[in-house]
C-alpha cells in the first residue's frame, strides 16, 4: 500500500493513462479500489483529482468505481459472486468508444447481439457517466413496456439504480436527494442540469422535446415492427442507440441494418468465458479446427459437434454446445446465440434447406427492369425496360419488338415475350410499409420453371395489384 502522504504521486501516475493502470483481475481490482477509496477519504485534493480523471475517462470510472449484478450467481455456490466489480472485457472497450463516436458525429448506432453480452448494462453505464460528469444532457431510455424501463428487477432503471447505490457518496451531485431527483421514469442531476428519462413505446414517443440521445432497447421485439417509433424519434435527436437480439427480418431493426446504419456486432464468441475451447466445425463429420486449445488440456475427451452454426462466425465452443442442448428450438438458438435474422423469425421452411436449394437450383436473373405502358389505359401495350435494380427480374429470353406507333423514336429497347407459353402468377401481398416484400412470382405452367419475379416493399396494395395485372398482360 502507498502511504497517504504519497497520494499525490499516485494521482500523477494515473493522469497519464488512467484506465490502463486499473487492475483487470477481480482480486487485484478489489484491493486497488479499496486503496484508492482510502486515499480519497483522507485527502480532498486527491479525491478532486480522481473525479477529474473520471470526468475525462469513462473506462477509468467504470473499472474503478462501478459494480454489476448477476442474479444467476446468487446460489449456494460460495465461489460465485452475484455482486462483483464491473471490469470491462476487451470487446466492451470498443463498444464504449463507438458510443462516443456516434454522439460526436451525430449518428445512429445499431447494436446487434447475442444474449447476455452486457449491452444494456453498457448503455446504462455510458448514459450514467454522461449524467454525472457532463452538463445539460437530456437522455431518453425506451423499451416496449414501461416495466422494462422502470419497474422490473432487470429493467433499465434498475441497472442505473444499482450502479448509483455502489458509488461513493462524494461522487454524487451536490444537492442530490434520492426521493426528489430519482422518481419514477426520471433521474435528475441538480448540479449540472442533466437528466435521464424513460418511456414505453407509443406512436408519439419522444415528440415532447429534443434529446441529446435516445436508447431504444430490444428494438426488434417492438409491436408493429418498430416503424412508428423510428419515425417518431428521428427529429427528436441526432443520435439513437438501437440495441437488440434479432427477431426475424420483418422489422425496423433489420431494415436499419440492411440500410447500412453504423453497427456493433456482439457475438458470444467475443466473450472470454464463453469462447473457452472455441472451435470451427468443418462440415465433414466431426472434423474441426480448434481455435482455443488451452481448455482442452483438461478436457481432452470432449465430444465435438460437426454441425456448422448459422450466422457470420460459424464457430462453436463447449459453452455454446451446452446452450444449444438447453434451447427449446432452432429459432431460439438463431435469435439468442447466432444473431441469425432468417432463423430467428420461425420460418415455415428451415433456413438450411433453403440454402441448399438455392445453391443447387438458383441462378441470377437474365435481366432486371420495369414495365412501361406504351399504349393507353384502354389499349395497354406493356413492354419491358431494362434497368439495374428494377423491381422486375426475368429468367426468360426477351426480344426487341416494333411498337405499334411507327412515328415514335425509341430511346431504349422495348422487350417482349414472342413465343407462346402458359404461365401462372402467384402473389403474396404486404402492406407496402417497408416491413416485408410484396411478391408476384411467374412460373411456366408445364415445366415448373420460374421465369419472372416482381418485388417491392413500398408499393401500396393497389399499386402492387396494378403492376401485377400489367405483368399478367405482358
Amino acid at each position: 500500500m502507498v502511504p497517504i502522504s504519497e497520494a499525490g504521486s499516485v494521482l500523477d501516475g494515473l493522469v497519464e493513462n488512467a484506465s490502463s493502470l486499473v487492475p483487470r483481475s477481480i482480486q487485484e481490482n478489489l484491493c486497488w479500489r479499496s486503496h484508492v477509496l482510502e486515499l480519497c477519504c483522507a485527502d480532498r485534493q486527491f479525491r478532486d483529482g480522481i473525479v477529474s480523471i473520471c470526468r475525462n475517462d469513462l473506462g477509468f470510472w467504470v473499472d474503478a468505481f462501478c459494480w454489476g449484478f448477476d442474479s444467476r450467481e446468487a446460489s449456494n455456490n460460495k465461489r460465485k459472486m452475484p455482486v462483483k466489480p464491473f471490469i470491462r472485457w476487451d470487446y466492451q472497450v470498443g463498444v464504449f468508444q463507438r458510443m462516443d463516436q456516434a454522439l460526436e458525429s451525430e449518428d445512429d448506432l445499431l447494436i446487434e447481439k447475442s444474449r447476455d453480452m452486457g449491452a444494456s448494462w453498457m448503455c446504462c453505464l455510458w448514459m450514467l457517466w454522461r449524467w454525472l460528469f457532463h452538463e445539460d444532457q437530456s437522455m431518453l431510455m425506451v423499451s416496449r413496456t414501461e416495466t422494462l424501463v422502470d419497474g422490473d428487477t432487470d429493467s433499465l432503471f434498475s441497472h442505473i439504480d444499482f450502479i448509483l447505490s455502489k458509488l461513493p457518496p462524494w461522487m454524487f451531485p451536490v444537492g442530490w436527494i434520492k426521493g426528489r431527483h430519482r422518481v419514477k421514469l426520471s433521474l435528475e442531476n441538480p448540479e449540472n442540469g442533466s437528466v435521464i428519462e424513460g418511456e414505453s413505446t407509443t406512436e408519439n414517443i419522444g415528440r415532447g422535446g429534443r434529446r441529446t440521445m435516445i436508447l431504444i432497447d430490444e428494438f426488434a421485439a417492438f409491436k408493429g415492427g418498430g416503424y412508428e417509433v423510428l419515425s417518431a424519434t428521428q427529429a427528436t435527436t441526432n443520435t439513437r442507440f438501437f440495441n437488440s437480439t434479432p427477431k426475424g427480418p420483418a422489422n425496423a431493426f433489420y431494415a436499419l441494418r440492411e440500410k447500412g446504419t453504423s453497427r456493433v456486432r456482439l457475438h458470444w464468441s467475443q466473450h472470454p468465458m464463453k469462447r473457452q475451447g472455441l472451435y470451427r466445425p468443418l462440415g465433414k463429420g466431426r472434423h474441426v479446427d480448434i481455435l482455443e486449445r488451452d481448455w482442452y488440456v483438461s478436457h481432452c475427451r470432449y465430444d465435438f459437434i460437426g454441425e456448422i452454426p448459422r450466422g457470420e462466425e460459424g464457430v462453436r465452443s463447449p459453452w455454446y454446445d451446452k446452450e444449444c442442448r438447453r434451447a427449446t428450438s432452432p429459432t431460439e438458438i438463431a435469435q439468442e446465440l447466432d444473431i441469425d435474422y432468417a432463423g430467428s423469425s420461425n420460418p415455415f421452411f428451415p433456413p438450411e434447406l433453403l440454402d441448399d436449394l438455392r445453391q443447387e437450383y438458383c441462378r441470377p436473373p437474365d435481366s432486371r427492369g420495369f414495365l412501361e405502358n406504351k399504349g393507353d389505359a384502354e389499349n395497354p401495350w406493356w413492354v419491358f425496360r431494362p434497368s439495374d435494380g428494377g423491381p422486375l427480374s426475368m429468367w426468360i429470353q426477351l426480344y426487341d419488338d416494333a411498337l405499334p406507333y411507327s412515328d415514335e423514336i425509341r430511346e431504349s429497347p422495348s422487350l417482349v415475350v414472342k413465343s407462346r407459353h402458359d404461365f401462372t402468377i402467384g402473389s403474396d401481398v404486404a402492406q407496402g410499409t417497408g416491413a416485408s416484400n410484396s411478391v408476384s412470382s411467374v412460373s411456366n405452367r408445364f415445366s415448373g420453371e420460374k421465369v419472372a419475379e416482381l418485388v417491392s416493399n413500398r408499393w401500396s396494395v393497389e399499386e402492387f395489384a396494378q403492376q401485377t395485372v400489367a405483368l399478367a398482360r405482358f
Side-chain angles (χ1 to χ4, degrees):
M1 284 294 183
V2 177
I4 300 299
S5 60
E6 300 180 21
S9 62
V10 174
L11 189 61
D12 291 339
L14 287 173
V15 170
E16 292 298 323
N17 194 10
S19 59
S20 66
L21 299 178
V22 182
R24 306 301 291 272
S25 71
I26 289 182
Q27 293 303 323
E28 291 180 352
N29 183 274
L30 287 171
C31 292
W32 186 89
R33 287 186 183 212
S34 177
H35 181 47
V36 169
L37 287 173
E38 179 185 351
L39 294 177
C40 287
C41 291
D43 189 325
R44 177 64 181 270
Q45 185 178 357
F46 179 81
R47 181 201 308 170
D48 292 342
I50 288 292
V51 171
S52 178
I53 294 174
C54 289
R55 180 179 293 108
N56 295 300
D57 192 331
L58 165 65
F60 176 81
W61 177 72
V62 172
D63 291 346
F65 292 101
C66 294
W67 294 73
F69 176 78
D70 188 345
S71 59
R72 292 171 301 181
E73 298 199 13
S75 65
N76 293 327
N77 188 338
K78 295 181 180 180
R79 293 178 299 175
K80 293 187 174 182
M81 297 175 60
V83 178
K84 62 183 66 175
F86 198 111
I87 307 171
R88 297 166 301 155
W89 299 113
D90 289 342
Y91 76 89
Q92 293 174 325
V93 174
V95 176
F96 284 124
Q97 292 172 348
R98 292 292 297 276
M99 291 176 178
D100 288 337
Q101 292 168 5
L103 186 67
E104 183 178 351
S105 59
E106 298 184 341
D107 287 333
D108 293 330
L109 180 65
L110 187 141
I111 305 172
E112 58 178 6
K113 62 187 182 72
S114 304
R115 70 162 183 248
D116 192 30
M117 292 295 288
S120 296
W121 277 95
M122 284 188 282
C123 290
C124 290
L125 283 163
W126 185 88
M127 295 173 73
L128 188 58
W129 173 69
R130 297 199 66 85
W131 176 87
L132 271 173
F133 301 113
H134 293 75
E135 295 182 350
D136 300 321
Q137 304 290 295
S138 177
M139 295 170 283
L140 180 66
M141 301 191 298
V142 180
S143 194
R144 63 185 186 274
T145 67
E146 183 177 299
T147 302
L148 293 175
V149 180
D150 192 1
D152 194 294
T153 54
D154 197 35
S155 67
L156 296 172
F157 264 112
S158 73
H159 295 345
I160 286 179
D161 290 338
F162 181 82
I163 299 165
L164 282 173
S165 72
K166 299 298 181 181
L167 293 180
W170 46 261
M171 192 172 283
F172 278 74
V174 175
W176 190 81
I177 301 173
K178 183 176 181 180
R180 179 185 303 173
H181 300 110
R182 168 64 177 106
V183 295
K184 184 75 170 179
L185 297 172
S186 178
L187 177 67
E188 180 185 354
N189 186 326
E191 185 177 5
N192 64 16
S194 292
V195 64
I196 300 175
E197 295 180 310
E199 290 186 17
S200 57
T201 52
T202 67
E203 62 180 87
N204 295 315
I205 191 167
R207 293 189 187 274
R210 299 295 178 257
R211 301 286 182 175
T212 306
M213 60 81 60
I214 297 177
L215 165 64
I216 305 177
D217 196 49
E218 291 300 342
F219 187 40
F222 278 28
K223 183 178 180 181
Y227 291 94
E228 290 182 344
V229 173
L230 200 63
S231 60
T233 56
Q234 182 172 351
T236 304
T237 183
N238 295 323
T239 302
R240 296 170 292 184
F241 295 169
F242 302 99
N243 175 43
S244 191
T245 53
K247 206 164 182 65
N251 51 65
F253 185 75
Y254 181 76
L256 285 168
R257 181 186 189 273
E258 292 300 288
K259 185 178 83 168
T261 301
S262 179
R263 66 183 172 114
V264 173
R265 185 176 175 90
L266 301 181
H267 188 260
W268 63 263
S269 60
Q270 298 170 261
H271 195 291
M273 306 305 293
K274 297 175 172 56
R275 67 176 286 122
Q276 290 182 358
L278 193 72
Y279 66 94
R280 185 182 303 280
L282 301 178
K284 302 174 182 178
R286 293 187 180 273
H287 294 287
V288 301
D289 181 15
I290 300 177
L291 305 176
E292 295 282 346
R293 293 185 173 275
D294 292 345
W295 186 86
Y296 296 102
V297 173
S298 56
H299 301 82
C300 58
R301 294 183 179 276
Y302 186 76
D303 192 13
F304 293 103
I305 297 177
E307 182 181 350
I308 301 175
R310 295 183 58 83
E312 297 177 8
E313 291 74 12
V315 293
R316 308 184 72 102
S317 74
W319 175 88
Y320 176 85
D321 295 342
K322 179 181 177 181
E323 293 301 303
C324 288
R325 290 192 294 269
R326 297 179 63 205
T328 58
S329 68
T331 301
E332 181 182 343
I333 296 171
Q335 175 179 310
E336 303 294 330
L337 300 176
D338 293 340
I339 320 181
D340 173 21
Y341 290 84
S344 66
S345 61
N346 197 19
F348 184 82
F349 294 105
E352 58 273 14
L353 172 61
L354 296 180
D355 285 344
D356 292 343
L357 294 174
R358 187 179 294 112
Q359 292 179 12
E360 185 173 358
Y361 295 110
C362 293
R363 60 180 173 85
D366 298 330
S367 54
R368 292 188 66 175
F370 61 93
L371 294 177
E372 182 180 6
N373 185 9
K374 302 304 293 185
D376 52 39
E378 293 185 1
N379 298 292
W381 178 259
W382 293 98
V383 296
F384 179 84
R385 296 291 197 191
S387 175
D388 291 340
L392 181 58
S393 299
M394 304 291 285
W395 289 268
I396 190 171
Q397 188 173 7
L398 301 175
Y399 299 87
D400 190 11
D401 191 80
L403 293 173
Y405 307 101
S406 59
D407 58 343
E408 179 176 356
I409 299 176
R410 292 180 291 156
E411 297 179 354
S412 62
S414 303
L415 301 174
V416 299
V417 180
K418 296 204 70 171
S419 56
R420 290 193 54 80
H421 300 275
D422 276 347
F423 297 118
T424 297
I425 300 181
S427 299
D428 181 11
V429 186
Q431 297 299 313
T433 62
S436 59
N437 290 326
S438 292
V439 181
S440 286
S441 188
V442 187
S443 66
N444 185 310
R445 179 183 171 192
F446 297 108
S447 69
E449 181 184 15
K450 181 170 181 172
V451 298
E453 181 182 71
L454 180 68
V455 179
S456 174
N457 63 4
R458 286 299 178 186
W459 284 338
S460 67
V461 174
E462 292 77 15
E463 290 172 322
F464 188 75
Q466 292 169 358
Q467 290 291 319
T468 300
V469 170
L471 182 61
R473 291 181 181 275
F474 175 79

